[in-house]
Amino acid sequence: MYIEQAYKGLTERWRYFVGFLIIIIGWQFLGGIPLIAAMILKAESINSISTDYGDMADTLGLNFFFLLVLLTFFAAMVSLWVAVKFIHRLSFKDFTTSRRRIDWKRITFSFVLWGVVSSALVFLDIYLSPENYQFSFEAGPFLVLLLISIIFIPIQTSFEEYFTRGYLMQSIGIASKNKWLPFVVSSSLFGLLHILNPEVDKLGYGILIYYIGTGFFLGILTLMDEGLELPLGFHAANNFFTALLVTADWTAFRTHSIYRDVSEPVLGWDVLIPVFVIYPILLFIFSKKYGWKNWKEKLFGRVMSREEYMVLNDGKSDLA
């Protein structure tokens, strides 16, 4: 009953309206101030400031630009915490999971599982197509990147999870009183939030199949497992190992990674493999490990009213 966790706080519609304003202002405006200020200081004139990811990274340096981009999500995370804590009066534990406490073992298992699988796939591709990669490891810049990634990537990925599969899913679910609408909307929006990524400009809108498919995969994890622990671990592993292992001139993560992809980017059938092959296998693994049942009800069933939820749970979670 993850969506119904919102009932442990205040759920009037005006609160979600104010909450969204706080989050967007923190994320899109306040969070961008350090990056904008750095570009202004480096630019010869206001008119010469570029909004291209590659140009900004070249101007500021890869590590500094990466840090400033991640700082926007730090501001976003603080804003979301303010909205949840003070507007909705909901504890962040209850916002995270239906269990009595946050299950860190779930987060760790998901992180390790996807970290191992995704890294293995990267190294397999390097082995099969070595001409597409350039070894670019530099100890000093890489160690700085590692430190930035350890501190800030979990904040960035956690915000995306808390915002789409937390705040959006709960607000839409409470309003619509069903699960399929928040599931579809939050999953689709997660993919569409990546539409401004340079990968989309380079590969075309077909890459959104991967982003939206990933959104649906993470949505299933949230609803079936009644919490955000598995998505939090998966998303953190995905971005962490992506930042460290491989970069390219046309990706959102331009970093001092170990390898640089020098191939000409082409959108091919391989974009479908994670969505239609790997993700179903992972869902099978998770479902067996955590004993998931009642798929239809959990993904497409009815969201209880506040009164029903409080009567059933007496205001407390019933999950261990």
Side-chain angles (χ1 to χ4, degrees):
M1 293 181 289
Y2 174 68
I3 292 177
E4 287 91 343
Q5 285 293 103
Y7 290 134
K8 291 187 175 182
L10 304 175
T11 59
E12 293 91 343
R13 291 186 181 181
W14 71 264
R15 294 182 185 274
Y16 284 106
F17 178 77
V18 173
F20 276 114
L21 283 180
I22 291 173
I23 294 166
I24 296 301
I25 289 172
W27 179 18
Q28 296 297 317
F29 295 97
L30 298 180
I33 289 176
L35 177 58
I36 295 171
M39 288 299 297
I40 290 174
L41 291 174
K42 282 284 187 176
E44 296 179 0
S45 67
I46 296 295
N47 294 332
S48 67
I49 296 176
S50 174
T51 57
D52 178 77
Y53 265 67
D55 291 341
M56 289 191 288
D58 292 336
T59 299
L60 299 174
L62 295 185
N63 278 333
F64 188 44
F65 174 67
F66 189 53
L67 172 62
L68 291 175
V69 169
L70 293 180
L71 281 177
T72 65
F73 292 95
F74 176 79
M77 193 67 183
V78 171
S79 300
L80 185 142
W81 178 82
V82 168
V84 171
K85 184 72 174 179
F86 297 103
I87 303 301
H88 296 280
R89 309 284 180 84
L90 181 67
S91 74
F92 227 73
K93 188 279 292 183
D94 289 329
F95 185 52
T96 303
T97 185
S98 297
R99 282 164 276 277
R100 292 194 178 97
R101 60 186 63 87
I102 296 173
D103 190 341
W104 291 97
K105 290 183 179 179
R106 272 174 156 84
I107 296 175
T108 302
F109 176 74
S110 183
F111 181 90
V112 171
L113 176 62
W114 185 237
V116 170
V117 172
S118 60
S119 298
L121 291 173
V122 168
F123 286 116
L124 177 62
D125 195 49
I126 292 173
Y127 175 78
L128 295 175
S129 306
E131 70 279 3
N132 291 338
Y133 297 91
Q134 181 182 82
F135 185 73
S136 57
F137 176 76
E138 297 178 76
F142 179 81
L143 289 176
V144 174
L145 169 65
L146 179 61
L147 180 62
I148 293 171
S149 299
I150 290 173
I151 297 172
F152 289 102
I153 282 182
I155 295 173
Q156 177 246 326
T157 55
S158 294
F159 168 74
E160 293 187 6
E161 291 307 309
Y162 278 116
F163 180 63
T164 54
R165 271 157 290 280
Y167 206 72
L168 272 177
M169 184 173 281
Q170 287 187 346
S171 61
I172 297 172
I174 294 301
S176 65
K177 292 296 185 291
N178 63 63
K179 296 177 182 178
W180 70 265
L181 186 62
F183 173 43
V184 172
V185 172
S186 63
S187 301
S188 301
L189 185 61
F190 174 81
L192 294 175
L193 285 174
H194 294 80
I195 201 168
L196 296 179
N197 280 20
E199 293 92 333
V200 176
D201 183 58
K202 194 71 174 182
L203 297 173
Y205 291 112
I207 189 65
L208 291 177
I209 294 174
Y210 167 74
Y211 290 127
I212 294 174
T214 301
F216 274 91
F217 167 70
L218 294 171
I220 293 172
L221 292 186
T222 302
L223 291 174
M224 290 305 303
D225 202 51
E226 302 288 7
L228 288 175
E229 290 99 333
L230 296 181
L232 287 171
F234 177 94
H235 201 162
N238 185 77
N239 288 23
F240 181 78
F241 289 102
T242 295
L244 296 181
L245 295 181
V246 179
T247 190
D249 293 340
W250 46 272
T251 61
F253 276 11
R254 288 194 62 192
T255 63
H256 285 290
S257 58
I258 298 174
Y259 288 93
R260 180 167 169 261
D261 186 343
V262 295
S263 64
E264 183 62 29
V266 177
L267 183 67
W269 59 269
D270 52 314
V271 73
L272 302 177
I273 291 179
V275 176
F276 296 106
V277 178
I278 297 176
Y279 291 167
I281 293 174
L282 291 178
L283 287 175
F284 177 78
I285 293 172
F286 285 128
S287 67
K288 291 300 180 182
K289 180 174 178 60
Y290 297 113
W292 293 348
K293 298 177 181 178
N294 303 322
W295 287 67
K296 183 178 179 181
E297 170 60 28
K298 287 194 173 185
L299 296 179
F300 306 105
R302 187 175 67 89
V303 171
M304 290 185 289
S305 66
R306 175 184 287 272
E307 291 75 18
E308 291 174 313
Y309 179 76
M310 292 304 178
V311 168
L312 181 63
N313 292 278
D314 192 27
K316 299 178 181 179
S317 173
D318 61 343
L319 295 181

